[in-house]
Amino acid sequence: MKMNKICAALFAAATFGLVACTDTDAKYTIPEVEAPVLVSTTPEANAAKVKRGEITIEVKYDKNVFFATKDLDKISFTGGTLISADVYGSSNVLTLTVNVPGAKQLVRSLFPKA
Protein backbone atom coordinates (compact mmCIF):
# COMPACT_ATOMS: atom_id res chain seq x y z
CA MET A 1 0.00 0.00 0.00
CA LYS A 2 2.81 2.38 0.89
CA MET A 3 4.49 1.64 -2.46
CA ASN A 4 1.28 2.54 -4.33
CA LYS A 5 1.12 5.94 -2.57
CA ILE A 6 4.75 6.66 -3.48
CA CYS A 7 4.18 5.65 -7.12
CA ALA A 8 1.02 7.76 -7.31
CA ALA A 9 2.83 10.77 -5.87
CA LEU A 10 5.71 10.38 -8.34
CA PHE A 11 3.27 10.00 -11.24
CA ALA A 12 1.38 13.14 -10.17
CA ALA A 13 4.63 15.13 -9.81
CA ALA A 14 5.86 14.00 -13.25
CA THR A 15 2.51 14.87 -14.86
CA PHE A 16 2.48 18.31 -13.22
CA GLY A 17 6.09 18.92 -14.30
CA LEU A 18 5.34 18.05 -17.93
CA VAL A 19 2.23 20.22 -18.04
CA ALA A 20 4.01 23.17 -16.41
CA CYS A 21 6.89 23.05 -18.90
CA THR A 22 4.84 22.85 -22.10
CA ASP A 23 4.02 26.59 -22.29
CA THR A 24 6.37 27.62 -25.11
CA ASP A 25 4.20 30.42 -26.47
CA ALA A 26 5.24 32.85 -23.74
CA LYS A 27 6.47 36.17 -25.10
CA TYR A 28 8.48 38.54 -22.99
CA THR A 29 9.05 42.18 -23.70
CA ILE A 30 12.30 43.57 -22.34
CA PRO A 31 12.35 47.35 -22.56
CA GLU A 32 15.41 49.01 -24.06
CA VAL A 33 17.31 51.13 -21.58
CA GLU A 34 19.81 53.81 -22.52
CA ALA A 35 23.36 53.37 -21.30
CA PRO A 36 24.44 55.47 -18.31
CA VAL A 37 25.97 58.84 -19.18
CA LEU A 38 29.16 60.12 -17.55
CA VAL A 39 28.36 63.06 -15.24
CA SER A 40 31.68 63.84 -13.55
CA THR A 41 34.98 62.46 -12.29
CA THR A 42 36.97 63.14 -9.12
CA PRO A 43 39.67 64.30 -9.58
CA GLU A 44 38.27 66.28 -12.49
CA ALA A 45 39.41 65.69 -16.07
CA ASN A 46 42.64 67.58 -16.86
CA ALA A 47 43.35 68.15 -13.15
CA ALA A 48 46.83 69.59 -12.66
CA LYS A 49 47.51 68.77 -9.00
CA VAL A 50 47.02 65.02 -8.70
CA LYS A 51 49.37 63.27 -6.31
CA ARG A 52 51.46 60.32 -7.36
CA GLY A 53 51.23 56.86 -5.88
CA GLU A 54 47.98 55.08 -5.12
CA ILE A 55 44.98 57.32 -5.77
CA THR A 56 41.23 56.88 -5.91
CA ILE A 57 39.23 58.07 -8.90
CA GLU A 58 35.45 58.33 -8.66
CA VAL A 59 33.47 58.21 -11.90
CA LYS A 60 29.87 59.40 -11.48
CA TYR A 61 27.07 58.43 -13.90
CA ASP A 62 23.48 59.65 -14.26
CA LYS A 63 22.07 56.26 -13.20
CA ASN A 64 23.18 53.20 -11.27
CA VAL A 65 25.97 51.10 -12.78
CA PHE A 66 27.22 47.61 -12.03
CA PHE A 67 30.90 46.68 -12.13
CA ALA A 68 33.31 44.45 -10.23
CA THR A 69 37.09 44.14 -10.13
CA LYS A 70 36.89 40.76 -11.89
CA ASP A 71 35.94 42.70 -15.06
CA LEU A 72 38.98 45.00 -14.74
CA ASP A 73 40.26 44.06 -18.20
CA LYS A 74 37.29 45.94 -19.74
CA ILE A 75 38.77 49.29 -18.66
CA SER A 76 41.69 50.72 -20.61
CA PHE A 77 44.06 52.74 -18.42
CA THR A 78 47.40 54.29 -19.42
CA GLY A 79 49.95 56.20 -17.37
CA GLY A 80 49.76 53.95 -14.34
CA THR A 81 48.49 50.65 -13.02
CA LEU A 82 44.79 49.98 -12.51
CA ILE A 83 44.45 48.12 -9.20
CA SER A 84 40.69 47.79 -8.72
CA ALA A 85 37.35 49.08 -9.97
CA ASP A 86 34.18 48.59 -7.98
CA VAL A 87 30.65 49.87 -7.51
CA TYR A 88 29.73 49.63 -3.86
CA GLY A 89 26.14 48.53 -3.37
CA SER A 90 23.57 49.98 -5.72
CA SER A 91 25.25 53.18 -6.81
CA ASN A 92 25.93 55.53 -9.68
CA VAL A 93 29.62 55.90 -8.71
CA LEU A 94 32.38 53.66 -10.08
CA THR A 95 35.41 53.80 -7.75
CA LEU A 96 38.81 53.14 -9.33
CA THR A 97 42.01 52.57 -7.40
CA VAL A 98 45.13 53.29 -9.49
CA ASN A 99 48.84 53.59 -8.95
CA VAL A 100 50.41 56.56 -10.75
CA PRO A 101 54.21 56.28 -10.51
CA GLY A 102 55.29 59.80 -11.46
CA ALA A 103 54.24 63.37 -10.80
CA LYS A 104 52.63 65.24 -13.72
CA GLN A 105 52.03 61.90 -15.43
CA LEU A 106 49.53 61.96 -18.30
CA VAL A 107 46.82 59.49 -17.37
CA ARG A 108 43.99 58.35 -19.62
CA SER A 109 41.16 55.91 -19.05
CA LEU A 110 38.57 54.46 -21.38
CA PHE A 111 35.41 52.83 -20.08
CA PRO A 112 33.29 50.32 -21.98
CA LYS A 113 29.74 51.15 -22.95
CA ALA A 114 27.31 49.81 -20.39
Side-chain angles (χ1 to χ4, degrees):
M1 187 68 161
K2 187 175 185 179
M3 189 62 139
N4 287 342
K5 288 182 180 181
I6 292 173
C7 288
L10 287 175
F11 178 75
T15 303
F16 177 73
L18 288 173
V19 170
C21 295
T22 57
D23 183 16
T24 58
D25 294 333
K27 295 182 181 174
Y28 302 100
T29 303
I30 300 173
E32 289 191 29
V33 179
E34 291 185 24
V37 175
L38 178 68
V39 174
S40 65
T41 60
T42 304
E44 295 178 1
N46 301 317
K49 295 181 180 180
V50 177
K51 67 178 184 174
R52 65 181 181 167
E54 191 172 298
I55 61 172
T56 300
I57 300 171
E58 291 185 347
V59 182
K60 186 174 184 178
Y61 293 93
D62 66 337
K63 57 182 83 167
N64 286 355
V65 292
F66 305 96
F67 198 86
T69 297
K70 67 180 179 115
D71 298 321
L72 203 58
D73 60 332
K74 294 181 180 178
I75 297 176
S76 173
F77 187 81
T78 59
T81 306
L82 187 56
I83 298 170
S84 68
D86 293 295
V87 174
Y88 300 108
S90 179
S91 176
N92 64 337
V93 178
L94 172 63
T95 303
L96 304 171
T97 304
V98 299
N99 185 8
V100 179
K104 297 185 180 179
Q105 179 84 23
L106 179 61
V107 176
R108 294 178 191 258
S109 55
L110 177 66
F111 303 96
K113 288 188 177 181

